[in-house]
Amino acid sequence: VTKIGDYAFNNSGVTSVEIGKNVTTLGDGAFIWNTKLTTVKWAGNLTEIGDFVFRRCTQLSNMAFPNSVKKVGGLCFSECDNLTEFSTGAGLENISPLMFEACRKLATINIGASVSDISANGFLTNNDSKSLIFFTNGKDTCQIPEGIEKVASFSLCYNDDLRCLVIPASVSAFGYYSVSECPNLVAIHCKSAVPAEITETDK
């Protein structure tokens, strides 16, 4: 077996998964909606992970990709409520803006040298530090760093802790749904005389 097919273990009730050494691809939604899944082990030859693969695996608390993984689809960990730590491995090249949608407890992202995005002080940005891709949840105030020009779609969404958002004058574009489902957001401070344009933007 070299590929686990699309939705092969959708809502199957598995609690642990071990990916064999011959498997190179996980199809879309391969393990979606397995709310009891706590452990995933890899043999190290996996190169591609599809869309939605671990979506709604609500008991996953940490995930570390093997160095062989180079490509990951959108919404891979969407709504993984208890995911607190993620490591890319040495081979992953890009992180989707929606990769961690609604991961409310994600506090640590360890990024390998091959990834073009960088992380600092709870902010995940692209490599020139001009686009905000993701903000680590768990903080009541998000003060977007000076120099950020674009806030990607969905980058701040599903954050129950967020109460105050500070937008620097450098921000000129705000992606759709950037602050959707932030029920406790009560204050937004914009330092620019001209508010940022709301538009469809990922990076």
Side-chain angles (χ1 to χ4, degrees):
V1 175
T2 59
K3 177 181 178 179
I4 296 178
D6 295 351
Y7 302 95
F9 295 95
N10 171 26
N11 195 20
S12 63
V14 295
T15 59
S16 64
V17 170
E18 185 168 350
I19 308 298
K21 64 180 181 179
N22 294 324
V23 176
T24 60
T25 305
L26 299 184
D28 294 347
F31 298 101
I32 191 173
W33 217 318
N34 278 290
T35 58
K36 297 180 180 180
L37 179 62
T38 60
T39 306
V40 180
K41 297 181 179 180
W42 323 87
N45 295 316
L46 190 69
T47 58
E48 184 174 349
I49 297 175
D51 297 333
F52 321 113
V53 171
F54 296 105
R55 187 175 189 179
R56 295 179 181 170
C57 291
T58 54
Q59 294 305 309
L60 281 178
S61 61
N62 62 78
M63 177 64 68
F65 285 163
N67 294 334
S68 56
V69 172
K70 295 182 178 180
K71 182 179 179 181
V72 178
L75 295 164
C76 184
F77 298 107
S78 173
E79 299 178 71
C80 288
D81 295 342
N82 286 297
L83 187 67
T84 60
E85 183 174 355
F86 169 75
S87 299
T88 67
L92 190 65
E93 298 172 354
N94 290 287
I95 293 177
S96 164
L98 294 177
M99 190 167 175
F100 305 111
E101 182 240 353
C103 291
R104 296 175 174 86
K105 296 182 180 180
L106 184 60
T108 303
I109 303 175
N110 300 307
I111 297 179
S114 60
V115 176
S116 60
D117 307 318
I118 61 174
S119 180
N121 299 321
F123 295 94
L124 179 66
T125 69
N126 68 337
N127 59 350
D128 63 5
S129 298
K130 292 184 178 181
S131 297
L132 176 63
I133 297 172
F134 180 77
F135 171 64
T136 298
N137 296 337
K139 300 179 181 179
D140 61 4
T141 299
C142 173
Q143 185 162 342
I144 298 174
E146 293 287 346
I148 293 290
E149 297 177 1
K150 297 179 181 180
V151 177
S153 300
F154 301 97
S155 57
L156 302 162
C157 69
Y158 291 100
N159 193 334
D160 293 341
D161 299 304
L162 186 62
R163 296 181 59 83
C164 177
L165 176 63
V166 181
I167 306 171
S170 58
V171 173
S172 60
F174 226 83
Y176 292 142
Y177 311 110
S178 297
V179 292
S180 67
E181 303 298 330
C182 293
N184 297 309
L185 180 61
V186 295
I188 298 177
H189 302 285
C190 182
K191 294 184 178 182
S192 174
V194 180
E197 178 184 0
I198 297 176
T199 183
E200 185 174 1
T201 178
D202 51 8
K203 295 184 183 182

